[in-house]
Amino acid sequence: MELFEFMKEITVQAGSNIRQKLNEPLLIETKSNANDLVTNMDKETERFLYETIINTYPEHKIIGEEGSGKDINDLSGTVWIIDPIDGTLNFVHQGENFAISVGVFIDGKKYAGVIYDVMRDKLYSACAGHGAYLNDSPIEPLTNTALKQSIVSINPNWLTKPYTAPIYGPIVVDARSARSYGSAALDFAYVATGKVDAYITLRLHPWDFAGGLIIAEEVGAVVTNQLDESLNMLHANSILVANKALHHEIYSNYMKPYQTELLTIHQGRFHSR
Ligand code: IPD
Ligand code: CA
Ligand code: CA
Ligand code: CA
């Protein structure tokens, strides 16, 4: 539990540093394309977390979106998987609706996850086997829902592409409604707290879901890729996370019929971080 307390403490410290500097000018760069942004705060936050962890636990390994642990290819030992700012576009455009996400695995086993909604000062956390919490309050186990009474979180981009629209369009049509929040970590937190009932996306990196996976599973959510397989913590994955009944309904009725198409998409995409 000492490590879990440390995870929460440094994540909140990193978030409070972001809040303090929110009005300072941002240095914004692009990465893979014009809409893929990274700021000095993403980098500073990853550096702060990296240095703070290594100072206390020099033997731990750290994988981070902004470059830490690029050469780490196995989960032996204690491995931190960090997204210093998840929802960078929200951070840049809105100054809110972004989170810090941290997951820790020990010899490949899920240890604990932390997601910090920085501007709302909400800390979602779970140490595997000990329940999930929102700040100091336990999060209730999920109740099952049917799609027609469910809110589903999905990025509308997936509904515009010819190869994915036929798969996801009917889910949105049959759901009560759909939302898109722009932070995968918050999407996991919202499923875990029942604010949305499912989150569906086609490509996330381990740092997007490492914390959320552990928190969501702790309240009974089912978290898989869209082939109904467990997530690989070292590679990009597709995602279907929902309460148990809804996961079954979406996978069996909407994804399984597109197994061949989904398999082709997966074979083309998911062999690296
Ligand atoms: C992104 C956000 C977004 C998701 C993208 C991620 P970033 O993370 O989680 O919601 O749709 O796939 O890359 O780049 O803001 O950390
Ligand atoms: Ca990014
Ligand atoms: Ca992210
Ligand atoms: Ca990020």
Side-chain angles (χ1 to χ4, degrees):
M1 288 307 254
E2 190 190 310
L3 177 56
F4 181 45
E5 294 308 316
F6 177 76
M7 286 172 69
K8 292 189 282 187
E9 203 178 294
I10 65 172
T11 305
V12 169
Q13 260 176 41
S16 104
N17 181 55
I18 298 175
R19 277 197 306 270
Q20 270 166 32
K21 296 186 177 165
L22 207 65
N23 294 323
E24 291 183 9
L26 271 184
L27 231 140
I28 304 170
E29 294 167 81
T30 56
K31 300 212 285 187
S32 61
N33 62 63
N35 301 323
D36 182 7
L37 307 183
V38 61
T39 74
N40 56 309
M41 276 317 292
D42 296 69
K43 294 179 186 174
E44 179 177 326
T45 304
E46 182 160 318
R47 203 177 319 118
F48 166 79
L49 290 169
Y50 184 95
E51 282 168 7
T52 313
I53 296 161
I54 290 299
N55 275 339
T56 309
Y57 298 106
E59 72 285 9
H60 286 191
K61 301 198 279 193
I62 301 161
I63 296 171
E65 180 183 6
E66 306 312 339
S68 307
K70 272 203 168 76
D71 51 336
I72 295 172
N73 282 314
D74 68 80
L75 289 178
S76 60
T78 301
V79 183
W80 294 65
I81 305 181
I82 292 176
D83 195 337
I85 297 185
D86 180 63
T88 296
L89 282 181
N90 289 353
F91 174 63
V92 169
H93 285 255
Q94 307 175 335
E96 60 182 353
N97 303 322
F98 60 90
I100 302 174
S101 172
V102 178
V104 169
F105 292 74
I106 301 181
D107 290 325
K109 284 202 357 219
K110 293 160 197 156
Y111 170 70
V114 169
I115 293 170
Y116 188 44
D117 180 339
V118 173
M119 300 312 291
R120 294 186 183 86
D121 189 26
K122 285 188 174 177
L123 184 73
Y124 302 84
S125 68
C127 189
H130 298 274
Y133 289 81
L134 169 48
N135 296 331
D136 294 327
S137 307
I139 304 175
E140 293 296 314
L142 292 181
T143 43
N144 285 324
T145 59
L147 183 61
K148 62 177 193 292
Q149 277 114 25
S150 295
I151 295 186
V152 168
S153 180
I154 184 167
N155 185 322
N157 281 335
W158 298 119
L159 305 172
T160 65
K161 302 195 192 299
Y163 62 100
T164 49
I167 311 175
Y168 305 126
I171 302 176
V172 172
V173 170
D174 292 349
R176 175 163 279 168
S177 194
R179 298 286 183 273
S180 180
Y181 293 105
S183 156
L186 290 179
D187 279 306
F188 271 84
Y190 294 161
V191 172
T193 47
K195 286 190 162 67
V196 301
D197 304 293
Y199 171 47
I200 296 168
T201 191
L202 199 47
R203 190 163 204 266
L204 289 187
H205 300 278
W207 40 81
D208 298 315
F209 58 76
L213 163 68
I214 297 172
I215 297 168
E217 282 190 348
E218 201 58 27
V219 293
V222 180
V223 186
T224 64
N225 70 9
Q226 292 179 18
L227 303 172
D228 202 26
E229 301 164 338
S230 353
L231 301 184
N232 181 323
M233 295 315 301
L234 293 167
H235 290 172
N237 289 248
S238 66
I239 300 286
L240 170 60
V241 48
N243 66 63
K244 196 165 186 277
L246 185 59
H247 186 283
H248 178 76
E249 184 181 351
I250 294 176
Y251 176 69
S252 314
N253 298 353
Y254 298 85
M255 290 177 174
K256 209 165 170 215
Y258 287 96
Q259 187 88 358
T260 314
E261 290 79 356
L262 281 167
L263 201 58
T264 311
I265 296 170
H266 282 68
Q267 280 162 348
R269 281 167 173 256
F270 299 122
H271 301 296
S272 64
R273 286 210 284 277

